[in-house]
Short mmCIF file of all heavy atoms in Angstrom, two decimals:
data_model
loop_
_atom_site.label_atom_id
_atom_site.label_comp_id
_atom_site.label_asym_id
_atom_site.label_seq_id
_atom_site.Cartn_x
_atom_site.Cartn_y
_atom_site.Cartn_z
N SER A 76 10.85 -22.29 -2.92
CA SER A 76 11.10 -22.78 -1.58
C SER A 76 12.35 -23.56 -1.46
O SER A 76 12.73 -24.38 -2.40
CB SER A 76 9.87 -23.65 -1.21
OG SER A 76 10.08 -24.04 0.15
N GLY A 77 13.12 -23.32 -0.50
CA GLY A 77 14.39 -24.00 -0.20
C GLY A 77 15.58 -23.40 -0.89
O GLY A 77 16.68 -24.07 -0.76
N CYS A 78 15.49 -22.22 -1.66
CA CYS A 78 16.53 -21.84 -2.34
C CYS A 78 17.64 -21.08 -1.57
O CYS A 78 18.67 -20.61 -1.96
CB CYS A 78 16.10 -20.99 -3.65
SG CYS A 78 15.40 -19.53 -3.19
N GLY A 79 17.20 -20.79 -0.26
CA GLY A 79 18.17 -20.09 0.63
C GLY A 79 17.89 -18.60 0.97
O GLY A 79 18.75 -17.97 1.50
N LYS A 80 16.65 -18.17 0.61
CA LYS A 80 16.31 -16.75 0.87
C LYS A 80 16.36 -16.47 2.41
O LYS A 80 17.10 -15.49 2.82
CB LYS A 80 14.90 -16.49 0.45
CG LYS A 80 14.74 -16.85 -1.08
CD LYS A 80 13.40 -16.46 -1.46
CE LYS A 80 12.09 -17.34 -0.95
NZ LYS A 80 12.22 -18.71 -1.31
N SER A 81 15.70 -17.32 3.25
CA SER A 81 15.64 -17.03 4.69
C SER A 81 16.96 -17.16 5.32
O SER A 81 17.43 -16.34 6.19
CB SER A 81 14.64 -17.93 5.33
OG SER A 81 13.35 -17.73 4.88
N ILE A 82 17.76 -18.19 4.87
CA ILE A 82 19.01 -18.40 5.49
C ILE A 82 20.01 -17.32 5.16
O ILE A 82 20.92 -16.85 5.97
CB ILE A 82 19.72 -19.80 5.15
CG1 ILE A 82 18.66 -20.94 5.54
CG2 ILE A 82 21.01 -20.08 5.75
CD1 ILE A 82 18.37 -20.94 7.04
N GLN A 142 7.34 -14.05 8.61
CA GLN A 142 6.04 -14.43 7.99
C GLN A 142 4.95 -14.53 9.07
O GLN A 142 3.81 -13.97 8.96
CB GLN A 142 6.14 -15.70 7.33
CG GLN A 142 4.96 -16.31 6.72
CD GLN A 142 5.28 -17.50 5.92
OE1 GLN A 142 6.40 -17.83 5.58
NE2 GLN A 142 4.19 -18.35 5.76
N ASP A 224 10.89 -10.98 5.87
CA ASP A 224 10.88 -12.45 5.39
C ASP A 224 9.47 -12.92 5.06
O ASP A 224 8.82 -13.34 6.04
CB ASP A 224 11.72 -13.35 6.29
CG ASP A 224 11.96 -14.67 5.63
OD1 ASP A 224 11.41 -14.94 4.49
OD2 ASP A 224 12.62 -15.58 6.30
N GLU A 225 8.99 -12.84 3.84
CA GLU A 225 7.71 -13.17 3.45
C GLU A 225 6.66 -12.62 4.52
O GLU A 225 5.81 -13.38 5.00
CB GLU A 225 7.56 -14.79 3.43
CG GLU A 225 8.56 -15.36 2.63
CD GLU A 225 8.15 -16.11 1.41
OE1 GLU A 225 6.98 -15.91 0.97
OE2 GLU A 225 8.90 -16.88 0.78
N ILE A 256 11.78 -10.51 1.19
CA ILE A 256 11.90 -11.88 0.71
C ILE A 256 10.57 -12.36 0.28
O ILE A 256 9.51 -12.25 1.01
CB ILE A 256 12.47 -12.80 1.80
CG1 ILE A 256 13.91 -12.29 2.05
CG2 ILE A 256 12.39 -14.22 1.42
CD1 ILE A 256 14.52 -12.97 3.19
MG1 LIG B 10 12.11 -18.81 3.87
#
Side-chain angles (χ1 to χ4, degrees):
S76 186
C78 68
K80 306 181 294 293
S81 297
I82 300 300
Q142 180 175 337
D224 189 356
E225 308 243 16
I256 294 172

